[in-house]
Amino acid sequence: MKYILRSYGLTKKYGTRLIVEDVNLAVEPGDIYGFLGQNGAGKTTVFRMLLGLVKPLRGTIEWFDEKPTTATFSRIGSLIETPGFYPNLTVHEHLDIHRRMCGVTDIHTINEHLKLVGMEGMGNQKVGKLSLGTKQRLGIARALLHRPDCLILDEPVNGLDPKGIRDIRELLLELRNKRSMTILISSHILGEIGQMVNRIGIIHGGKMIEQLDYAELQRRTRTYAEIRVNDDGRATWLLEQQLHIRDYTVWEKGCIRIYEQLEDTGMINKALQEGGVIVNEISLCSESLEDHFLKLTGGDQKC
Ligand SMILES: Nc1ncnc2c1ncn2[C@@H]1O[C@H](COP(=O)(O)OP(=O)(O)OP(=O)(O)O)[C@@H](O)[C@H]1O
Ligand SMILES: [Mg+2]
């Protein structure tokens, strides 16, 4: 099997609004694929289309190199948005309902999966009393119960504390390594999923703006000199005219990031000072992946 999942030109409209436009996804076996986008970017809508829960306006989807049939969806486990639970039912009762719905005959699978997600011995607890992180883990246990080949998790770490995020990261890596599962996971914060994914698709305004290996994304983040000046208009004029520097951005008022000629920042300082610009600070920094993501997605809408 070459691909677990491919989508071609996936497009969705609600009313007259284009919500998802021409999304081409390519997920290979063993990928932990991070689907990244700010709130409202279209992540959940894409996942719903992939699962056959929402009909696309246009485009096609292939699962396991074939056109999906009803049987295809039994090979996929999913957790979309906040999982719906009955507060008065116990953890075990929830999983048992799902087990029977999926036609899984082995009752021991419930305890096996509770153990897998770190909820051993919690079967008798009422779901209404569980913390958010534990509910997310229960949602993952439910999605895994029928031993799918691929797992789709929509923002499973949203609202979790750092330990909760680490636990989920370790669980997903274990699933990939021990069960050879392929996992699609969405998030609106790159830092939350960066350490667990090997491939990233970035969606913005319903369009896929990047799809690349995580290692490639890391390579793209660059070193720069950040200078703080009293007059960025004059400073950029001097950078261009005196030093022929073109690769820079005015990051915010009075703050310029320069990406070239970094071997001699003293020269930049001198040229600016001599040109009448007061340089308050000059430092060498590396762009974080989060900055890079924000730049790609417009940069103005902090998550
Ligand atoms: N059933 C619907 N009817 C009309 N508009 C919808 C519907 N579902 C989603 N939308 C709109 O589509 C856009 C994308 O929504 P979607 O939930 O896919 O985004 P998202 O990337 O998952 O966002 P979030 O990070 O907040 O979960 C939003 O503007 C949303 O309001
Ligand atoms: Mg969503």
Side-chain angles (χ1 to χ4, degrees), residues 132-192:
L132 174 69
T134 314
K135 276 190 197 144
Q136 293 287 39
R137 280 194 261 169
L138 175 58
I140 296 177
R142 185 166 68 179
L144 286 170
L145 212 62
H146 60 291
R147 299 184 177 278
D149 297 317
C150 179
L151 194 58
I152 292 191
L153 302 174
D154 190 18
E155 308 232 20
V157 293
N158 200 5
L160 299 194
D161 61 18
K163 180 179 178 309
I165 295 175
R166 199 185 59 209
D167 288 349
I168 300 245
R169 181 189 307 141
E170 281 169 8
L171 170 63
L172 299 189
L173 289 171
E174 190 181 335
L175 290 171
R176 197 259 315 264
N177 298 339
K178 292 204 182 142
R179 284 201 185 178
S180 308
M181 286 187 70
T182 303
I183 301 165
L184 256 89
I185 174 170
S186 73
S187 179
H188 59 282
I189 302 175
L190 176 59
E192 283 183 347

Side-chain angles (χ1 to χ4, degrees), residues 39-40 42-45 81 154-155 186:
N39 293 134
K43 303 179 293 295
T44 302
T45 307
E81 292 191 324
D154 190 18
E155 308 232 20
S186 73

Side-chain angles (χ1 to χ4, degrees), residues 69-275:
T69 61
T70 318
T72 309
F73 296 108
S74 65
R75 297 179 64 186
I76 306 162
S78 64
L79 177 65
I80 298 294
E81 292 191 324
T82 321
F85 293 118
Y86 300 101
N88 286 324
L89 291 189
T90 65
V91 165
H92 192 281
E93 283 164 341
H94 271 93
L95 293 180
D96 201 39
I97 292 170
H98 189 72
R99 178 187 68 82
R100 281 182 278 162
M101 269 179 10
C102 295
V104 178
T105 49
D106 179 11
I107 190 143
H108 301 296
T109 191
I110 294 182
N111 284 337
E112 180 199 339
H113 282 89
L114 283 178
K115 190 170 171 201
L116 184 70
V117 300
M119 290 179 67
E120 203 172 8
M122 294 178 75
N124 290 328
Q125 294 199 13
K126 289 251 165 68
V127 170
K129 300 223 165 96
L130 299 180
S131 69
L132 174 69
T134 314
K135 276 190 197 144
Q136 293 287 39
R137 280 194 261 169
L138 175 58
I140 296 177
R142 185 166 68 179
L144 286 170
L145 212 62
H146 60 291
R147 299 184 177 278
D149 297 317
C150 179
L151 194 58
I152 292 191
L153 302 174
D154 190 18
E155 308 232 20
V157 293
N158 200 5
L160 299 194
D161 61 18
K163 180 179 178 309
I165 295 175
R166 199 185 59 209
D167 288 349
I168 300 245
R169 181 189 307 141
E170 281 169 8
L171 170 63
L172 299 189
L173 289 171
E174 190 181 335
L175 290 171
R176 197 259 315 264
N177 298 339
K178 292 204 182 142
R179 284 201 185 178
S180 308
M181 286 187 70
T182 303
I183 301 165
L184 256 89
I185 174 170
S186 73
S187 179
H188 59 282
I189 302 175
L190 176 59
E192 283 183 347
I193 57 165
Q195 287 169 304
M196 56 183 119
V197 301
N198 64 295
R199 210 164 156 65
I200 288 248
I202 299 176
I203 183 168
H204 186 59
K207 289 188 186 151
M208 190 83 144
I209 54 172
E210 288 267 7
Q211 183 169 234
L212 73 177
D213 285 346
Y214 185 66
E216 169 61 24
L217 183 64
Q218 281 179 309
R219 272 196 293 279
R220 291 232 198 129
T221 57
R222 299 188 293 171
T223 302
Y224 58 89
E226 185 168 287
I227 54 170
R228 294 196 173 267
V229 292
N230 66 328
D231 180 347
D232 49 49
R234 177 148 185 84
T236 52
W237 185 84
L238 286 164
L239 290 177
E240 293 199 17
Q241 300 303 314
Q242 304 274 317
L243 299 170
H244 310 291
I245 289 176
R246 301 268 183 274
D247 195 3
Y248 68 85
T249 55
V250 178
W251 189 250
E252 57 189 33
K253 192 167 166 29
C255 175
I256 303 167
R257 289 185 176 181
I258 301 169
Y259 297 95
E260 58 177 317
Q261 297 188 31
L262 301 182
E263 57 291 341
D264 193 0
T265 49
M267 201 55 207
I268 296 174
N269 193 14
K270 185 163 175 280
L272 293 175
Q273 304 259 19
E274 285 178 0

